């Protein structure tokens, strides 16, 4: 069965709304760069980067069957602060017992929980504290402080992003780092091994998380991102982490301002399905456009034909809707892969029935979504094959999907 492209003629107009928005209105940008730099320097001295390995993304308790796997990866140093866990208290507690001040900073700047002004005054000193308040980085009342930003530790750097808003995102120009950012970055890291590349591109870059990740293997990296606020955050992150100038960032609507070719392209674009009206009026980092949210990923994959060098490597995230048992991304990719000679492997990394626009998903009969890494090389032999997925993980994720669907509160039940 072939799922019709009914709503998918790639008219690609969703950006018009945001163009008006970025030209017409004022949105808070990154905080003062010097203040941010001082804070990041202090966090480094307090071993904040060490917390990057503690799994902190909560999953339902009954999924603890997957915990031995998480724990094993933790012991191997392969987890991140975005690794899902049913038992977050298991990780970090011991370390935090001997790093109490870092725990306060981690809870404030990574988990975005409240802190007491007196503790912060003691840890950071009054001068830095007033700098943070004056720059709007933190707000306080009645002796309680909260951070307006999130500081994400990763590798040797600390990224500036917005606090997590979960699935109920309300900020239009949201600056994103999430679990999928780390999934792609880890994959790119493993895939690149120790090879050297000439020119790398991070498309739909957000905080430039992916570009950052590949930079040590590339002579130069370009990050392209549409959201002006994210561009500003990425530049502030570069400055505060002392990154050199082999890295440039450009504001671009997908390929619009990208020139030349690349031997490696990484992209974590928006890829969730939503109705036209939501795409046009809300939340730039989440909805992937028409054709069940595959519009932007497909435009990017298509662009690999033009922007990848012969032999070049492309890595891209997308979510495939499963409709009446049919996983439809594969059939959308095949003609593009053949046209451009892209040898492609679809690597599943999560089965989920997350519903960001429940009405749309019910209307379009989307049973669930399969998250994929699209891994491609421009060899001239266009093809798409599907990689395997660990049986136990698939079983538990599909069980969770089944259980959620049976709940009377679940949309479409
Ligand atoms: C899921 S976020 C990922 C951010 C980053 N790549 C990462 O891995 O953390 C998707 C990003 O794509 C950006 N984006 C959305 N539409 C875009 C477009 N038309 N052109 C360029 N960037 C776009 C969003 O603003 C957002 O920063």
């Amino acid at each position: 069965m072939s799922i019709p492209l009914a709503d998918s003629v790639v008219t690609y107009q969703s950006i018009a709304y945001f163009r008006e928005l970025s030209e017409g209105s004022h949105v808070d940008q990154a905080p003062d760069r010097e203040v941010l730099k001082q804070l990041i320097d202090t966090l480094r001295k307090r071993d904040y980067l060490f917390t990057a390995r503690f799994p902190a993304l909560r999953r339902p308790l009954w999924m603890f069957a997957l915990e031995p796997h998480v724990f094993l990866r933790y012991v191997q140093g392969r987890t991140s602060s975005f690794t899902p866990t049913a038992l977050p208290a298991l990780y970090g507690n011991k370390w935090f017992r001997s790093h109490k001040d870092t725990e306060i900073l981690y809870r404030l700047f990574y988990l975005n929980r409240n802190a007491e002004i007196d503790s912060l005054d003691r840890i950071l000193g009054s001068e830095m504290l007033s700098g943070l308040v004056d720059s709007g980085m933190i707000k306080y009342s009645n002796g309680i402080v909260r951070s307006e930003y999130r500081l994400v530790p990763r590798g040797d750097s600390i990224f500036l992003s917005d606090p997590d808003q979960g699935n109920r995102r309300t900020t239009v120009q949201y600056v994103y780092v999430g679990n999928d950012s780390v999934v792609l970055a880890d994959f790119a890291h493993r895939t690149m091994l120790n090879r050297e590349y000439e020119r790398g591109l991070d498309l739909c870059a957000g905080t430039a998380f992916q570009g950052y990740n590949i930079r040590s293997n590339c002579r130069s990296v370009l990050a392209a991102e549409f959201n002006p606020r994210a561009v500003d955050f990425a530049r502030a992150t570069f400055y505060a982490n002392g990154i050199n100038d082999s890295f440039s960032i450009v504001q671009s609507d997908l390929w619009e301002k990208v020139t030349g070719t690349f031997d490696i392209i990484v992209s974590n674009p928006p890829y969730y399905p939503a109705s036209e009206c939501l795409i046009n009026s809300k939340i730039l980092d989440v909805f992937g456009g028409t054709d069940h949210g595959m519009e932007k990923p497909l435009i990017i994959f298509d662009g690999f034909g033009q922007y990848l060098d012969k032999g070049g490597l492309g890595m891209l995230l997308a979510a495939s809707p499963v409709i009446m048992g049919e996983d439809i991304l594969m059939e959308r990719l095949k003609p593009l892969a053949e046209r451009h000679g892209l040898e492609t492997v679809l690597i599943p990394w999560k089965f989920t029935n997350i519903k960001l626009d429940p009405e749309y998903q019910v209307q379009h009969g989307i049973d669930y979504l399969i998250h994929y890494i699209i891994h491609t090389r421009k060899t001239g032999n266009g093809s798409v094959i599907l990689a395997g997925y660990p049986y136990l993980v698939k079983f538990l994720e599909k069980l969770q999907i089944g259980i959620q669907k049976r709940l009377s509160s679940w949309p479409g039940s």
Side-chain angles (χ1 to χ4, degrees), residues 12 15 176-177 181 204-206 209-210 225-227 252-254 268-270 284-285 296:
Y12 198 58
I15 223 70
Y176 176 95
V177 182
S181 313
C204 292
F209 196 85
Q210 307 303 332
E225 159 65 43
F226 183 70
N227 177 358
S252 172
D253 179 4
L254 297 178
N268 173 11
L284 194 55
D285 68 301
K296 287 181 188 176

Side-chain angles (χ1 to χ4, degrees), residues 49 51 59 62 154 165 274 301 306 331 340 368 405:
L49 285 170
T51 65
R59 64 158 51 124
W62 65 267
R154 164 85 184 171
Q165 291 182 355
F301 187 76
Q306 178 182 340
E331 68 181 69
H340 301 305
Y368 57 92
K405 279 192 167 163

Side-chain angles (χ1 to χ4, degrees), residues 70-173:
V70 178
F71 191 75
L72 187 67
R73 293 186 53 200
Y74 173 68
V75 172
Q76 294 168 333
R78 292 177 55 206
T79 47
S80 80
S81 43
F82 291 100
T83 303
T85 170
L87 305 167
L90 194 65
Y91 309 95
N93 272 5
K94 189 160 165 261
W95 188 83
F96 281 131
R97 272 204 289 278
S98 55
H99 295 81
K100 290 268 177 226
D101 290 350
T102 314
E103 183 176 18
I104 293 171
L105 296 170
Y106 170 78
R107 288 173 61 82
L108 178 67
F109 290 114
Y110 180 72
L111 298 179
N112 290 111
R113 309 253 172 86
N114 293 340
E116 286 171 7
I117 190 108
D118 294 344
S119 320
L120 271 189
D121 192 24
R122 178 180 56 75
I123 299 169
L124 300 177
S126 330
E127 201 181 321
M128 185 180 294
L129 198 55
S130 26
L132 290 172
V133 174
D134 293 346
S135 73
M137 261 207 92
I138 60 174
K139 295 243 158 86
Y140 79 101
S141 71
N142 299 327
I144 298 295
V145 179
R146 74 182 154 80
S147 171
E148 295 292 289
Y149 299 88
R150 186 180 209 187
L151 294 174
V152 178
R154 164 85 184 171
D156 60 1
S157 305
I158 297 176
F159 290 80
L160 178 72
S161 79
D162 277 319
D164 186 21
Q165 291 182 355
N167 297 345
R168 287 172 292 279
R169 189 89 84 255
T170 52
T171 308
V172 175
Q173 295 196 358

